[in-house]
Amino acid sequence: MNIIISNASGEPIYLQIVTQLRSAILNGTLSPGQGLPSIRQLAKDLQISVITTKRAYEELEKEGLVDSVIGKGSFVSGASSAQIREQRIRLMEEKMREIVKEAKGLDMGLDQLLSRFGQLYSDEGSEWL
Amino acid sequence: MNQDENVIELDGLSKSYSRFKLEPITMSIKQGYITGLVGPNGAGKSTLIKLLLGMAVPDRGEVRIFGRRMPEREQEIKERIGYVSDESHYYEHLSIGAMKNVLAPFYSCWDEQQYRQLLDRFELHPKARIRSLSKGMKMKLSLVFALSHHADLLIMDEPTAGLDPVFRRELLDMLADFIQEDTRSIVFSTHVTTDLDRIADYIAFVDKGRLVFCDSKEEIFERYALIKADRSLLDRDTRGTLIGIRETSVGFEGLSANREEAERLFGGFARIEIPTLEDIMFYTAKGRSGARV
């Protein structure tokens, strides 16, 4: 399992960790129950701050991908990939609901919103896993 | 883990010298993390560290370390502190080994084996006279002594001064090793905001004797914004929102401490970037006035 941090990309470092660990978990590189490096060890290995790695792990816990046990460390959660996918879709729906609210506030019709989404969807290409 | 425990608490700490004044500072430093004390030369970083360690007496205010008051509990506090400084405070005419014999009895947890290992690792010879050491080697020696008595708190004044890039990287690794135990903490001051602040969790920024902020690095980078745009966007109102501005014939660069406001005012017309700590330090110190280059 590799994590590669880029200082040049504008993406916050904790998000880079989240994205890379998430795809490793979803594509099976990391299997359920497998131990992850401790927050402090990962900070040392990547030469970044403890708070940054902590934030990344907390984010993954929220998504249900990682379980942390006090005194034992962090593990890939036992949830099946179907459960994880469902969880992520729920999170996505929350964000969509916010967008719908915003669109209504701007008096934007569904057609307009969808066409904007269509544009963004094709722009994003393969970047999103 | 004691998540919200403070290793150091300062309460209204102030000190006046004839030419320099440290304004009352109230802040706390979290246990288990690395805090970087940054600011330009002469901002008050070393004064603050000296006050912390009882090497200078504050005019007003209080220092608590490990929850105990200075200077009443000084001895017990200092046993648990490793202090590293860019100024050599050792007897120059002694050898490293003789200096060790002077220092070791002050610490009940002195670890002779650890001391020898560190000397080896840093390629320092116990017979070498302190006088004959280069600046970088003296810094390493200071680090050896600081790490040889199982300190819980490492306080370092400009630790990277005089160190080459290779050893600086090595130092980062050693600090990360030290902090693997979440009961330990590190405070260091620096005016070079590159490699060391990468691993810092919290940044305390001091400028002209004042504490500008002491926050987690994440919060700082979310709050501040660096704006780059055409000078025509600068009028009295927009100028007022910027902490510091650098204007040239081809545009301006300015620092805002309120990203949302900056996005509202300049969004769409400017590049809005995440500043580096150096940007924040530079524009805060320089300010709005006389910033034309």
Side-chain angles (χ1 to χ4, degrees):
Chain A
M1 168 72 216
N2 290 314
I3 299 178
I4 291 156
I5 297 295
S6 158
N7 288 319
S9 91
E11 198 183 7
I13 292 174
Y14 86 92
L15 269 184
Q16 296 184 36
I17 300 172
V18 168
T19 312
Q20 291 176 47
L21 280 178
R22 187 201 284 134
S23 42
I25 293 170
L26 291 179
N27 71 23
T29 310
L30 292 171
S31 38
Q34 198 171 333
L36 295 171
S38 77
I39 286 166
R40 281 164 196 272
Q41 184 60 46
L42 187 62
K44 174 178 149 61
D45 292 345
L46 296 174
Q47 292 207 334
I48 55 175
S49 80
V50 172
I51 287 189
T52 306
T53 51
K54 206 166 140 191
R55 186 162 173 197
Y57 277 25
E58 279 167 4
E59 200 64 36
L60 290 163
E61 278 171 42
K62 243 188 269 167
E63 292 180 15
L65 293 171
V66 165
D67 288 326
S68 290
V69 184
I70 293 169
K72 293 230 163 121
S74 301
F75 303 87
V76 177
S77 95
S80 71
S81 57
Q83 281 172 315
I84 289 164
R85 195 182 152 79
E86 218 170 277
Q87 172 70 9
R88 287 192 64 196
I89 289 175
R90 244 202 312 277
L91 286 175
M92 187 178 78
E93 276 174 357
E94 265 171 43
K95 287 182 187 156
M96 288 165 90
R97 207 163 284 144
E98 267 173 49
I99 292 168
V100 168
K101 216 185 271 173
E102 193 68 25
K104 284 189 172 163
L106 289 166
D107 251 345
M108 192 184 278
L110 180 60
D111 291 353
Q112 264 176 300
L113 181 62
L114 285 178
S115 87
R116 274 172 192 265
F117 258 126
Q119 186 65 44
L120 288 173
Y121 194 90
S122 42
D123 283 353
E124 198 65 18
S126 56
E127 241 176 80
W128 198 247
L129 88 159
Chain B
M1 180 157 66
N2 301 316
Q3 221 162 13
D4 285 298
E5 218 148 284
N6 296 324
V7 62
I8 300 176
E9 289 165 322
L10 306 181
D11 195 359
L13 198 68
S14 69
K15 175 86 183 171
S16 286
Y17 293 101
S18 57
R19 291 187 172 181
F20 176 77
K21 194 166 171 224
L22 191 71
E23 303 288 341
I25 286 184
T26 298
M27 65 184 265
S28 48
I29 289 175
K30 296 259 179 297
Q31 176 181 302
Y33 295 99
I34 300 179
T35 300
L37 186 60
V38 304
N41 285 320
K45 304 184 295 286
S46 295
T47 305
L48 191 57
I49 287 181
K50 288 199 172 98
L51 289 172
L52 270 181
L53 291 167
M55 288 149 69
V57 183
D59 297 340
R60 282 206 175 75
E62 199 178 283
V63 178
R64 280 183 305 275
I65 304 181
F66 307 121
R68 296 172 172 89
R69 272 176 64 139
M70 281 283 280
E72 290 87 340
R73 315 274 292 269
E74 178 164 355
Q75 200 184 341
E76 147 192 15
I77 292 170
K78 284 215 175 146
E79 272 214 23
R80 296 170 61 192
I81 294 181
Y83 172 60
V84 178
S85 154
D86 68 334
E87 287 165 38
S88 173
H89 44 272
Y90 303 122
Y91 299 126
E92 295 278 316
H93 63 281
L94 291 184
S95 67
I96 290 177
M99 190 65 222
K100 186 267 298 179
N101 290 337
V102 173
L103 286 175
F106 285 102
Y107 300 100
S108 54
C109 293
W110 183 265
D111 185 337
E112 189 66 23
Q113 202 188 341
Q114 170 97 335
Y115 159 76
R116 276 166 210 265
Q117 275 171 0
L118 285 169
L119 275 192
D120 252 15
R121 180 165 169 189
F122 295 167
E123 295 171 342
L124 292 168
H125 199 279
K127 292 230 168 77
R129 302 243 164 232
I130 292 178
R131 174 193 313 129
S132 71
L133 303 177
S134 70
K135 202 170 168 173
M137 285 158 92
K138 277 181 187 161
M139 178 59 77
K140 290 181 187 183
L141 179 62
S142 185
L143 206 57
V144 171
F145 288 143
L147 293 174
S148 294
H149 58 89
H150 299 284
D152 293 313
L153 169 63
L154 215 50
I155 295 183
M156 307 193 289
D157 196 1
E158 300 278 353
T160 51
L163 295 182
D164 61 72
V166 178
F167 187 70
R168 269 157 69 170
R169 288 288 173 98
E170 219 178 296
L171 179 65
L172 288 190
D173 248 10
M174 285 169 37
L175 297 185
D177 269 336
F178 182 82
I179 207 85
Q180 289 299 306
E181 304 229 4
D182 58 20
T183 50
R184 291 175 166 179
S185 323
I186 299 173
V187 178
F188 66 85
S189 74
T190 180
H191 63 273
V192 192
T193 58
T194 45
D195 41 21
L196 264 180
D197 57 45
R198 206 174 142 185
I199 61 164
D201 297 294
Y202 291 89
I203 303 287
F205 177 31
V206 184
D207 184 41
K208 301 184 187 82
R210 281 168 208 276
L211 178 70
V212 182
F213 57 71
C214 176
D215 288 310
S216 78
K217 217 166 48 186
E218 310 249 322
E219 286 170 76
I220 294 163
F221 289 139
E222 271 166 29
R223 189 166 68 225
Y224 281 89
L226 191 68
I227 297 119
K228 297 178 179 172
D230 192 288
R231 274 170 64 187
S232 65
L233 290 179
L234 289 175
D235 57 29
R236 193 189 300 186
D237 291 339
T238 54
R239 263 176 208 280
T241 67
L242 299 172
I243 290 170
I245 306 172
R246 181 174 172 269
E247 295 179 65
T248 66
S249 58
V250 290
F252 82 91
E253 201 181 271
L255 182 76
S256 161
N258 185 337
R259 174 169 278 270
E260 275 173 32
E261 182 186 62
E263 270 164 7
R264 212 170 48 236
L265 283 173
F266 298 102
F269 302 100
R271 278 185 71 99
I272 299 180
E273 296 178 354
I274 298 174
T276 61
L277 277 177
E278 201 176 299
D279 292 326
I280 296 175
M281 199 157 106
F282 174 75
Y283 285 109
T284 307
K286 190 169 180 182
R288 232 169 272 157
S289 56
R292 217 167 271 254
V293 178

